[in-house]
Amino acid sequence: MQAQWEKMTAIFNARGGFNLLELNNGATAEEIAQLEQHTGLELPQAFRNFLSVHNGQEPGNGRGFFFGIRLLPVKDIIRQWDTWVALENDGLNEDLATDFQATHDAIPISEPPMMRNITYNT
């Protein structure tokens, strides 16, 4: 994963934009373990490595990593997960199945623009 981040960093730097993304430092092992415990999912090692290099972006910089969509840090992945679970528990998922979908094998890794998240399937 480190090699992929270095390659992406080089591409962004060559185009003069990596600094603008304002990516956070990597998540700690404790933060990643908290995410796994909270969601009840065992994250693939590749995704753990991904989070350990950059723990998302803080809100407000206006430059999202995924096509302008902010990459969530662990604390916000947990918050978004809880929103999914609450919607499902309230029965809203049945009524809005095309717009909201809580799955138990995927976690949100981006802000939800227009009611959609980019997810990482475990």
Side-chain angles (χ1 to χ4, degrees):
M1 184 55 64
Q2 183 66 37
Q4 286 88 349
W5 272 117
E6 288 172 6
K7 184 176 180 179
M8 285 188 288
T9 301
I11 291 168
F12 278 109
N13 281 333
R15 296 179 181 166
F18 196 75
N19 303 16
L20 300 175
L21 293 174
E22 300 176 6
L23 293 168
N24 296 330
N25 292 328
T28 65
E30 292 80 19
E31 289 172 313
I32 295 168
Q34 178 187 12
L35 175 60
E36 289 182 312
Q37 182 179 9
H38 191 85
T39 61
L41 299 173
E42 181 178 342
L43 301 176
Q45 188 61 47
F47 190 58
R48 285 190 219 123
N49 293 346
F50 177 87
L51 290 171
S52 71
V53 176
H54 289 295
N55 185 16
Q57 299 170 284
E58 293 305 318
N61 74 4
R63 297 173 186 89
F65 188 78
F66 296 109
F67 308 103
I69 303 167
R70 182 174 72 99
L71 178 63
L72 296 176
V74 168
K75 66 180 180 176
D76 291 338
I77 291 173
I78 290 171
R79 194 172 301 134
Q80 187 65 38
W81 174 269
D82 289 345
T83 299
W84 283 7
V85 170
L87 288 170
E88 187 169 296
N89 290 343
D90 289 344
L92 294 177
N93 201 34
E94 295 166 12
D95 296 335
L96 303 170
T98 59
D99 291 324
F100 295 105
Q101 185 176 20
T103 66
H104 299 285
D105 62 350
I107 60 172
I109 63 171
S110 71
E111 284 188 317
M114 303 298 291
M115 310 304 269
R116 304 247 185 232
N117 283 93
I118 295 173
T119 60
Y120 186 92
N121 294 325
T122 58

